[in-house]
Amino acid sequence: MGLKYIFLVSRQGKLRLVKWYVTVPQKEKAKIVKEVSQLVLARRPKQCNFIEHKDTKVVYRKYASLYFIAGIEMDDNELITLEVIHRYVEVLDRFFGNVCELDLIFQFQKAYFILDEMIMAGELQESSKKTVLRVVAQQDETETLENSERGWGDINVQEIFDNL
């Protein structure tokens, strides 16, 4: 299984996260994201979660207000890709505690970090939720330690959101 790309799109068509695992010129990337997003957003809920776009098989799944979209080779297994998407959502859900679109907007670096822990070079590297969450927790501890050493203190993002 080799992912070409994975991206998250809101119902309104706003790109929330994008990760490419193949080399594509920037103009082509923008064109692919636009075309695939439009194709996925135009589909009805009861339709199949697999579509073909040029030389890529597109696998998507809607969770709440977000579409998780992955592009794979034509001969790759769609069901495994759906499972990878679902596993990513489960880890996000566990980390953020019922993940929502705002979590991904304001803490996008965590979403990317979790994705990078799970998928490397388009291949699933770690399927264990516990292992991924443990590594993310260790990274959070290291970040907190480095911030305190720099004199920045413990920056509480949740407190900032509550004060808005």
Side-chain angles (χ1 to χ4, degrees):
M1 183 194 95
L3 291 173
K4 291 182 174 185
Y5 56 79
I6 186 164
F7 54 89
L8 280 59
V9 178
S10 69
R11 276 188 300 217
Q12 295 78 25
K14 299 269 187 204
L15 190 61
R16 297 300 181 202
L17 178 143
V18 63
K19 184 78 174 185
W20 291 86
Y21 299 103
V22 293
T23 305
V24 179
Q26 191 60 38
K27 275 189 171 182
E28 187 67 23
K29 285 180 183 179
K31 184 178 174 188
I32 290 170
V33 168
K34 182 180 178 187
E35 290 174 357
V36 170
S37 297
Q38 287 175 346
L39 282 171
V40 169
L41 292 172
R43 294 176 64 83
R44 292 188 297 268
K46 297 286 183 190
Q47 286 183 302
C48 179
N49 289 15
F50 317 132
I51 53 178
E52 291 182 7
H53 178 259
K54 298 183 181 175
D55 64 337
T56 303
K57 199 180 303 183
V58 177
V59 179
Y60 71 92
R61 180 97 189 253
K62 183 181 178 196
Y63 290 93
S65 65
L66 286 173
Y67 288 88
F68 289 73
I69 303 169
I72 59 174
E73 298 290 337
M74 292 299 267
D75 57 346
D76 282 342
N77 189 327
E78 307 93 349
L79 297 177
I80 291 175
T81 306
L82 272 178
E83 283 299 315
V84 170
I85 291 171
H86 185 68
R87 179 54 51 120
Y88 181 53
V89 172
E90 286 179 324
V91 174
L92 287 174
D93 210 34
R94 213 172 273 162
F95 179 77
F96 289 110
N98 199 10
V99 68
C100 68
E101 190 174 347
L102 286 176
D103 292 324
L104 300 177
I105 292 170
F106 291 112
Q107 297 186 49
F108 64 91
Q109 70 279 9
K110 298 293 182 195
Y112 276 108
F113 187 77
I114 291 169
L115 185 61
D116 290 342
E117 280 300 312
M118 292 181 63
I119 301 170
M120 184 181 293
E123 301 288 333
L124 182 65
Q125 294 299 310
E126 184 57 66
S127 62
S128 169
K129 289 184 273 189
K130 286 182 181 179
T131 302
V132 171
L133 290 168
R134 185 176 60 242
V135 171
V136 173
Q138 289 170 345
Q139 191 256 354
D140 282 348
E141 289 173 20
T142 303
E143 186 177 349
T144 302
L145 180 66
E146 287 176 356
N147 286 343
S148 65
E149 288 173 355
R150 290 183 182 127
W152 294 348
D154 189 19
I155 300 170
N156 188 343
V157 176
Q158 188 62 44
E159 191 175 296
I160 294 169
F161 290 141
D162 293 343
N163 292 332
L164 290 177

